Coordinates of all heavy atoms in Angstrom, one line a residue:
M1017 N 0.7 3.3 15.0 CA 0.7 2.0 14.3 C 0.9 2.2 12.8 O 0.2 3.0 12.3 CB -0.6 1.3 14.6 CG -0.5 -0.2 14.8 SD -2.1 -0.9 15.1 CE -1.7 -2.0 16.4
S1018 N 1.8 1.5 12.2 CA 2.0 1.7 10.8 C 0.9 0.9 10.0 O 0.2 0.1 10.6 CB 3.4 1.2 10.4 OG 3.5 -0.2 10.5
G1019 N 0.9 1.1 8.8 CA -0.1 0.4 7.9 C 0.1 -1.1 7.9 O -0.9 -1.8 7.9
V1020 N 1.3 -1.5 7.9 CA 1.6 -3.0 8.0 C 1.1 -3.6 9.3 O 0.6 -4.7 9.3 CB 3.1 -3.2 7.7 CG1 3.4 -4.7 7.8 CG2 3.5 -2.7 6.4
A1021 N 1.3 -2.9 10.4 CA 0.9 -3.4 11.7 C -0.6 -3.5 11.8 O -1.1 -4.4 12.4 CB 1.5 -2.5 12.8
I1022 N -1.3 -2.5 11.2 CA -2.8 -2.6 11.2 C -3.3 -3.7 10.4 O -4.2 -4.5 10.8 CB -3.3 -1.2 10.7 CG1 -3.0 -0.1 11.7 CG2 -4.8 -1.4 10.5 CD1 -3.4 1.3 11.2
I1023 N -2.7 -4.0 9.2 CA -3.1 -5.1 8.4 C -2.8 -6.4 9.1 O -3.6 -7.3 9.1 CB -2.4 -5.0 7.0 CG1 -2.9 -3.8 6.3 CG2 -2.6 -6.3 6.2 CD1 -2.1 -3.5 5.0
G1024 N -1.6 -6.5 9.8 CA -1.3 -7.7 10.6 C -2.2 -7.9 11.7 O -2.6 -9.1 11.9
A1025 N -2.6 -6.9 12.4 CA -3.6 -7.0 13.5 C -5.0 -7.5 12.9 O -5.6 -8.3 13.6 CB -3.8 -5.7 14.2
I1026 N -5.4 -7.0 11.8 CA -6.6 -7.4 11.2 C -6.6 -8.9 10.8 O -7.5 -9.7 11.1 CB -7.0 -6.5 10.0 CG1 -7.4 -5.1 10.5 CG2 -8.1 -7.2 9.2 CD1 -7.5 -4.1 9.4
I1027 N -5.4 -9.3 10.2 CA -5.3 -10.7 9.8 C -5.3 -11.6 11.0 O -6.0 -12.7 11.1 CB -4.0 -10.9 9.0 CG1 -4.2 -10.2 7.6 CG2 -3.7 -12.4 8.8 CD1 -3.0 -10.1 6.8
I1028 N -4.6 -11.3 12.1 CA -4.5 -12.0 13.3 C -5.9 -12.1 13.9 O -6.4 -13.1 14.4 CB -3.5 -11.5 14.3 CG1 -2.1 -11.9 13.7 CG2 -3.7 -12.1 15.7 CD1 -0.9 -11.4 14.6
G1029 N -6.6 -10.9 13.9 CA -8.0 -10.9 14.4 C -9.0 -11.8 13.7 O -9.8 -12.5 14.3
I1030 N -8.9 -11.8 12.4 CA -9.7 -12.7 11.6 C -9.4 -14.1 11.9 O -10.3 -14.9 12.2 CB -9.6 -12.4 10.1 CG1 -10.1 -11.1 9.7 CG2 -10.2 -13.5 9.3 CD1 -9.8 -10.6 8.3
L1031 N -8.1 -14.5 12.0 CA -7.8 -15.9 12.3 C -8.2 -16.3 13.7 O -8.7 -17.3 13.9 CB -6.2 -16.1 12.1 CG -5.7 -16.1 10.7 CD1 -4.2 -16.1 10.7 CD2 -6.2 -17.4 10.0
A1032 N -8.0 -15.4 14.6 CA -8.3 -15.7 16.0 C -9.8 -15.8 16.2 O -10.3 -16.7 16.9 CB -7.8 -14.6 17.0
G1033 N -10.6 -14.9 15.5 CA -12.1 -15.0 15.5 C -12.6 -16.3 14.9 O -13.5 -17.0 15.4
W1034 N -11.9 -16.7 13.8 CA -12.3 -17.9 13.1 C -12.0 -19.2 14.0 O -12.8 -20.1 14.1 CB -11.7 -18.1 11.8 CG -12.1 -19.3 11.0 CD1 -13.2 -19.5 10.3 CD2 -11.3 -20.5 10.9 NE1 -13.2 -20.8 9.8 CE2 -12.1 -21.4 10.2 CE3 -10.1 -20.9 11.4 CZ2 -11.6 -22.7 9.9 CZ3 -9.7 -22.2 11.2 CH2 -10.4 -23.1 10.4
I1035 N -10.8 -19.2 14.6 CA -10.4 -20.3 15.4 C -11.3 -20.4 16.6 O -11.8 -21.5 17.0 CB -8.9 -20.2 15.8 CG1 -8.0 -20.4 14.6 CG2 -8.6 -21.2 16.9 CD1 -6.6 -20.0 14.9
A1036 N -11.6 -19.3 17.3 CA -12.5 -19.3 18.4 C -13.9 -19.7 18.0 O -14.6 -20.5 18.8 CB -12.6 -17.9 19.0
E1037 N -14.4 -19.3 16.8 CA -15.7 -19.7 16.3 C -15.7 -21.2 16.2 O -16.7 -21.9 16.6 CB -15.9 -19.0 15.0 CG -17.2 -19.5 14.3 CD -17.3 -18.9 12.9 OE1 -16.5 -19.4 12.0 OE2 -18.1 -18.0 12.7
Q1038 N -14.7 -21.8 15.6 CA -14.7 -23.3 15.4 C -14.6 -24.0 16.7 O -15.3 -25.0 16.9 CB -13.4 -23.6 14.5 CG -13.4 -23.0 13.1 CD -14.7 -23.4 12.3 OE1 -15.0 -24.6 12.2 NE2 -15.3 -22.4 11.8
I1039 N -13.8 -23.6 17.7 CA -13.7 -24.2 18.9 C -15.0 -24.1 19.7 O -15.5 -25.1 20.3 CB -12.5 -23.7 19.7 CG1 -11.2 -24.0 19.1 CG2 -12.6 -24.2 21.2 CD1 -10.0 -23.4 19.6
M1040 N -15.6 -23.0 19.7 CA -16.9 -22.7 20.5 C -18.1 -23.2 19.7 O -19.2 -23.2 20.3 CB -17.0 -21.2 20.8 CG -15.9 -20.6 21.6 SD -15.7 -21.3 23.2 CE -17.1 -20.5 24.0
G1041 N -18.0 -23.7 18.5 CA -19.1 -24.2 17.8 C -20.1 -23.2 17.3 O -21.3 -23.4 17.3
R1042 N -19.7 -22.0 16.9 CA -20.5 -20.9 16.4 C -20.4 -20.8 14.9 O -19.5 -21.3 14.3 CB -20.1 -19.6 17.1 CG -20.1 -19.7 18.6 CD -21.5 -19.7 19.2 NE -21.5 -20.1 20.6 CZ -21.3 -19.3 21.6 NH1 -20.9 -18.1 21.4 NH2 -21.3 -19.8 22.8
K1043 N -21.3 -20.1 14.4 CA -21.3 -19.8 12.9 C -21.5 -18.3 12.7 O -22.6 -17.8 13.0 CB -22.4 -20.6 12.2 CG -22.3 -22.1 12.3 CD -21.0 -22.5 11.6 CE -20.9 -24.0 11.7 NZ -19.5 -24.5 11.6
H1044 N -20.4 -17.6 12.4 CA -20.5 -16.2 12.1 C -19.9 -15.9 10.8 O -19.2 -16.7 10.2 CB -19.7 -15.4 13.2 CG -20.2 -15.6 14.6 ND1 -19.5 -16.1 15.6 CD2 -21.5 -15.4 15.1 CE1 -20.2 -16.1 16.7 NE2 -21.4 -15.7 16.4
G1045 N -20.0 -14.6 10.3 CA -19.4 -14.2 9.1 C -18.0 -13.7 9.3 O -17.4 -13.6 10.4
L1046 N -17.3 -13.3 8.2 CA -16.0 -12.8 8.2 C -15.9 -11.5 9.1 O -14.9 -11.4 9.9 CB -15.5 -12.5 6.8 CG -14.1 -11.9 6.6 CD1 -13.1 -13.0 7.1 CD2 -13.8 -11.5 5.2
L1047 N -16.8 -10.6 8.9 CA -16.7 -9.3 9.7 C -16.9 -9.6 11.2 O -16.2 -9.0 12.0 CB -17.8 -8.3 9.2 CG -17.8 -7.0 9.8 CD1 -16.5 -6.2 9.6 CD2 -19.0 -6.2 9.3
T1048 N -17.8 -10.4 11.5 CA -18.0 -10.8 12.9 C -16.8 -11.5 13.5 O -16.4 -11.2 14.6 CB -19.2 -11.7 13.1 OG1 -20.4 -11.0 12.5 CG2 -19.5 -11.9 14.6
N1049 N -16.2 -12.4 12.7 CA -14.9 -13.0 13.2 C -13.8 -12.0 13.4 O -13.1 -12.1 14.4 CB -14.4 -14.0 12.2 CG -15.3 -15.3 12.2 OD1 -16.0 -15.6 13.1 ND2 -15.1 -16.0 11.1
M1050 N -13.7 -11.0 12.5 CA -12.7 -10.0 12.7 C -12.9 -9.2 13.9 O -12.0 -8.9 14.7 CB -12.7 -9.1 11.5 CG -11.5 -8.0 11.5 SD -11.4 -7.0 10.1 CE -12.9 -6.0 10.2
I1051 N -14.2 -8.7 14.2 CA -14.5 -7.9 15.3 C -14.3 -8.7 16.6 O -13.7 -8.3 17.6 CB -16.0 -7.4 15.3 CG1 -16.1 -6.4 14.1 CG2 -16.4 -6.8 16.6 CD1 -17.5 -6.0 13.8
V1052 N -14.7 -10.0 16.6 CA -14.5 -10.8 17.8 C -13.1 -11.1 18.1 O -12.6 -11.0 19.2 CB -15.3 -12.2 17.7 CG1 -14.9 -13.2 18.7 CG2 -16.8 -11.9 17.8
G1053 N -12.3 -11.3 17.0 CA -10.9 -11.5 17.1 C -10.1 -10.3 17.6 O -9.2 -10.4 18.5
L1054 N -10.5 -9.1 17.1 CA -9.8 -7.9 17.5 C -10.1 -7.5 19.0 O -9.2 -7.2 19.8 CB -10.1 -6.7 16.6 CG -9.5 -6.8 15.2 CD1 -10.1 -5.7 14.3 CD2 -8.0 -6.8 15.2
V1055 N -11.4 -7.6 19.3 CA -11.8 -7.4 20.7 C -11.2 -8.4 21.6 O -10.7 -8.1 22.7 CB -13.3 -7.3 20.9 CG1 -13.8 -7.2 22.3 CG2 -13.9 -6.1 20.0
G1056 N -11.2 -9.7 21.1 CA -10.6 -10.8 21.9 C -9.1 -10.5 22.1 O -8.6 -10.9 23.2
A1057 N -8.4 -10.0 21.1 CA -7.0 -9.7 21.2 C -6.8 -8.7 22.3 O -5.8 -8.8 23.1 CB -6.4 -9.3 19.9
L1058 N -7.6 -7.6 22.3 CA -7.5 -6.6 23.4 C -7.7 -7.2 24.7 O -7.0 -6.9 25.7 CB -8.4 -5.5 23.1 CG -8.1 -4.6 21.9 CD1 -9.3 -3.6 21.6 CD2 -6.8 -3.9 22.0
L1059 N -8.8 -8.0 24.9 CA -9.2 -8.6 26.1 C -8.1 -9.6 26.6 O -7.6 -9.5 27.7 CB -10.5 -9.3 26.0 CG -11.1 -10.0 27.2 CD1 -11.4 -9.0 28.3 CD2 -12.3 -10.8 26.8
G1060 N -7.6 -10.4 25.7 CA -6.6 -11.4 26.0 C -5.3 -10.7 26.4 O -4.6 -11.1 27.3
G1061 N -4.9 -9.7 25.6 CA -3.7 -8.9 25.9 C -3.7 -8.2 27.3 O -2.8 -8.2 28.0
F1062 N -4.9 -7.7 27.6 CA -5.1 -7.0 28.9 C -4.9 -8.0 30.0 O -4.2 -7.8 31.0 CB -6.4 -6.3 28.9 CG -6.7 -5.7 30.3 CD1 -6.1 -4.5 30.7 CD2 -7.6 -6.3 31.2 CE1 -6.4 -4.0 31.9 CE2 -7.9 -5.8 32.4 CZ -7.3 -4.6 32.8
I1063 N -5.6 -9.2 29.9 CA -5.5 -10.2 31.0 C -4.1 -10.8 31.1 O -3.6 -10.9 32.2 CB -6.6 -11.3 30.7 CG1 -8.0 -10.7 30.9 CG2 -6.4 -12.5 31.6 CD1 -9.1 -11.6 30.5
A1064 N -3.5 -11.0 29.9 CA -2.1 -11.6 30.0 C -1.2 -10.6 30.6 O -0.3 -11.0 31.4 CB -1.7 -12.0 28.6
G1065 N -1.3 -9.3 30.3 CA -0.5 -8.3 30.8 C -0.7 -8.2 32.3 O 0.3 -8.0 33.1
A1066 N -1.9 -8.2 32.8 CA -2.2 -8.1 34.2 C -1.7 -9.3 35.0 O -1.3 -9.2 36.1 CB -3.8 -8.0 34.4
L1067 N -1.6 -10.5 34.3 CA -1.1 -11.7 35.0 C 0.4 -11.8 34.9 O 1.0 -12.7 35.4 CB -1.7 -12.9 34.4 CG -3.2 -13.1 34.7 CD1 -3.8 -14.3 33.9 CD2 -3.5 -13.2 36.1
G1068 N 1.0 -10.9 34.1 CA 2.5 -10.9 34.0 C 3.0 -11.9 32.9 O 4.1 -12.2 32.9
I1069 N 2.1 -12.3 32.1 CA 2.4 -13.3 31.0 C 2.9 -12.5 29.8 O 2.2 -11.6 29.3 CB 1.2 -14.1 30.6 CG1 0.7 -14.9 31.8 CG2 1.6 -15.1 29.5 CD1 -0.6 -15.6 31.6
S1070 N 4.1 -12.8 29.4 CA 4.6 -12.1 28.2 C 4.5 -13.0 27.0 O 4.6 -14.3 27.1 CB 6.1 -11.8 28.4 OG 6.9 -12.9 28.5
F1071 N 4.2 -12.4 25.9 CA 4.0 -13.2 24.7 C 4.6 -12.4 23.5 O 4.7 -11.2 23.6 CB 2.5 -13.5 24.4 CG 1.7 -12.2 24.3 CD1 1.4 -11.6 23.1 CD2 1.1 -11.7 25.5 CE1 0.6 -10.4 23.1 CE2 0.4 -10.5 25.5 CZ 0.1 -9.9 24.3
G1072 N 5.0 -13.0 22.5 CA 5.6 -12.3 21.4 C 5.5 -13.1 20.1 O 5.2 -14.3 20.1
G1073 N 5.7 -12.4 19.1 CA 5.6 -13.0 17.8 C 4.2 -13.3 17.3 O 3.2 -13.0 18.0
I1074 N 4.1 -13.8 16.1 CA 2.8 -14.0 15.5 C 2.1 -15.1 16.2 O 0.9 -15.0 16.5 CB 3.0 -14.3 14.0 CG1 3.5 -13.1 13.3 CG2 1.7 -14.8 13.4 CD1 3.9 -13.4 11.8
I1075 N 2.7 -16.2 16.6 CA 2.1 -17.3 17.2 C 1.6 -16.9 18.6 O 0.5 -17.3 19.0 CB 3.0 -18.6 17.3 CG1 3.5 -19.0 15.9 CG2 2.4 -19.7 18.0 CD1 2.4 -19.4 15.0
G1076 N 2.4 -16.3 19.4 CA 2.0 -15.8 20.7 C 0.8 -14.9 20.6 O -0.1 -15.0 21.4
S1077 N 0.9 -13.9 19.7 CA -0.3 -13.0 19.5 C -1.5 -13.7 19.1 O -2.6 -13.4 19.6 CB 0.1 -12.0 18.5 OG 1.2 -11.2 18.9
L1078 N -1.4 -14.7 18.2 CA -2.5 -15.5 17.8 C -3.2 -16.3 18.9 O -4.4 -16.4 19.1 CB -2.2 -16.4 16.6 CG -3.3 -17.2 16.0 CD1 -4.4 -16.3 15.4 CD2 -2.7 -18.1 14.9
V1079 N -2.3 -16.9 19.7 CA -2.8 -17.7 20.9 C -3.5 -16.8 21.9 O -4.7 -17.1 22.3 CB -1.6 -18.4 21.6 CG1 -2.1 -19.0 22.9 CG2 -1.1 -19.5 20.6
I1080 N -2.9 -15.7 22.2 CA -3.6 -14.7 23.2 C -4.9 -14.2 22.6 O -5.9 -14.1 23.3 CB -2.6 -13.6 23.5 CG1 -1.4 -14.1 24.3 CG2 -3.3 -12.5 24.3 CD1 -1.8 -14.7 25.7
A1081 N -4.9 -13.8 21.3 CA -6.1 -13.3 20.7 C -7.2 -14.4 20.6 O -8.4 -14.1 20.9 CB -5.8 -12.8 19.3
T1082 N -6.8 -15.6 20.3 CA -7.8 -16.7 20.3 C -8.4 -17.0 21.6 O -9.6 -17.1 21.8 CB -7.2 -18.0 19.7 OG1 -6.6 -17.7 18.4 CG2 -8.2 -19.1 19.6
L1083 N -7.6 -17.0 22.7 CA -8.1 -17.2 24.0 C -9.0 -16.1 24.4 O -10.0 -16.3 25.1 CB -6.9 -17.4 25.0 CG -6.1 -18.6 24.9 CD1 -4.9 -18.6 25.8 CD2 -6.9 -19.9 25.1
G1084 N -8.6 -14.8 24.1 CA -9.5 -13.7 24.4 C -10.8 -13.7 23.7 O -11.8 -13.4 24.2
A1085 N -10.7 -14.2 22.4 CA -11.9 -14.3 21.6 C -12.9 -15.4 22.1 O -14.1 -15.2 22.2 CB -11.6 -14.6 20.1
M1086 N -12.3 -16.5 22.6 CA -13.1 -17.5 23.2 C -13.7 -17.1 24.5 O -14.9 -17.3 24.7 CB -12.2 -18.8 23.4 CG -11.8 -19.5 22.2 SD -10.6 -20.8 22.5 CE -11.4 -21.8 23.7
L1087 N -13.0 -16.3 25.3 CA -13.6 -15.7 26.5 C -14.7 -14.8 26.2 O -15.8 -14.8 26.8 CB -12.5 -15.0 27.3 CG -12.9 -14.3 28.6 CD1 -13.5 -15.4 29.6 CD2 -11.8 -13.6 29.2
L1088 N -14.5 -14.0 25.1 CA -15.5 -13.0 24.7 C -16.8 -13.8 24.3 O -17.9 -13.4 24.7 CB -15.0 -12.1 23.6 CG -16.0 -11.1 23.0 CD1 -16.4 -10.1 24.1 CD2 -15.4 -10.4 21.8
L1089 N -16.6 -14.8 23.4 CA -17.8 -15.6 23.0 C -18.5 -16.2 24.2 O -19.7 -16.3 24.2 CB -17.4 -16.6 21.9 CG -17.0 -16.0 20.6 CD1 -16.5 -17.2 19.7 CD2 -18.2 -15.4 19.9
F1090 N -17.7 -16.7 25.1 CA -18.3 -17.3 26.3 C -19.1 -16.3 27.1 O -20.3 -16.6 27.5 CB -17.2 -18.0 27.2 CG -17.7 -18.5 28.5 CD1 -18.5 -19.7 28.5 CD2 -17.5 -17.9 29.7 CE1 -19.0 -20.2 29.7 CE2 -18.0 -18.3 30.9 CZ -18.7 -19.5 30.9
L1091 N -18.5 -15.2 27.3 CA -19.2 -14.1 28.1 C -20.5 -13.7 27.4 O -21.5 -13.4 28.0 CB -18.3 -12.9 28.4 CG -17.2 -13.2 29.3 CD1 -16.2 -12.0 29.4 CD2 -17.7 -13.6 30.7
L1092 N -20.4 -13.6 26.0 CA -21.6 -13.2 25.3 C -22.7 -14.2 25.3 O -23.9 -13.9 25.4 CB -21.2 -12.9 23.8 CG -20.5 -11.6 23.5 CD1 -20.0 -11.6 22.1 CD2 -21.3 -10.4 23.9
S1093 N -22.3 -15.5 25.4 CA -23.3 -16.6 25.5 C -24.0 -16.5 26.9 O -25.2 -16.9 27.0 CB -22.7 -17.9 25.2 OG -21.8 -18.3 26.3
L1094 N -23.2 -16.1 27.9 CA -23.9 -16.0 29.2 C -24.9 -14.8 29.3 O -25.9 -15.0 29.9 CB -22.8 -15.7 30.3 CG -21.9 -16.9 30.7 CD1 -20.8 -16.4 31.7 CD2 -22.7 -18.0 31.2
V1095 N -24.5 -13.7 28.6 CA -25.4 -12.6 28.5 C -26.7 -12.9 27.7 O -27.8 -12.6 28.1 CB -24.7 -11.4 28.0 CG1 -25.7 -10.2 27.7 CG2 -23.6 -10.9 28.9
R1096 N -26.5 -13.6 26.6 CA -27.6 -14.0 25.8 C -28.4 -15.1 26.3 O -29.6 -15.4 25.9 CB -27.1 -14.3 24.4 CG -26.7 -13.1 23.6 CD -26.4 -13.5 22.2 NE -26.2 -12.4 21.4 CZ -25.8 -12.5 20.1 NH1 -25.6 -13.6 19.6 NH2 -25.6 -11.4 19.4
G1097 N -27.9 -15.9 27.2 CA -28.6 -17.1 27.7 C -28.6 -18.3 26.9 O -29.4 -19.2 27.0
R1098 N -27.5 -18.4 26.0 CA -27.4 -19.7 25.2 C -26.7 -20.7 25.9 O -25.6 -20.7 26.4 CB -26.7 -19.3 23.9 CG -27.6 -18.5 23.0 CD -26.9 -18.4 21.6 NE -27.7 -17.6 20.7 CZ -27.4 -17.4 19.5 NH1 -26.2 -17.9 19.0 NH2 -28.2 -16.8 18.7

């Protein structure tokens, strides 16, 4: 991965984490949003790939990352009991 791709992944991760936080009604900081967004992007990408869903571009990556981040926040709320 080149430096530009890493920076792009971080920016998409932050945006996806923030969007998921707003939709799920949570309050986290920037670092937590980035971590949730990046892990959500991995989770969403894995699930989309397993289902044969192809996505591309910034918008597609952002949508998949946001859905993955929302799934991650939902699963974490089940574990925590909220």
Side-chain angles (χ1 to χ4, degrees):
M1017 215 181 228
S1018 70
V1020 175
I1022 292 171
I1023 292 171
I1026 290 171
I1027 291 171
I1028 288 176
I1030 291 170
L1031 285 173
W1034 181 79
I1035 292 169
E1037 171 188 77
Q1038 297 303 310
I1039 292 172
M1040 301 294 287
R1042 307 286 165 80
K1043 298 295 178 206
H1044 300 121
L1046 180 66
L1047 182 63
T1048 304
N1049 285 343
M1050 184 176 71
I1051 293 168
V1052 167
L1054 290 173
V1055 173
L1058 292 172
L1059 182 62
F1062 176 76
I1063 292 172
L1067 295 175
I1069 300 170
S1070 62
F1071 57 94
I1074 294 173
I1075 300 298
S1077 297
L1078 183 60
V1079 168
I1080 294 296
T1082 301
L1083 292 173
M1086 290 171 56
L1087 178 61
L1088 178 65
L1089 288 175
F1090 174 73
L1091 292 174
L1092 287 175
S1093 70
L1094 289 178
V1095 171
R1096 288 186 169 177
R1098 286 185 179 184

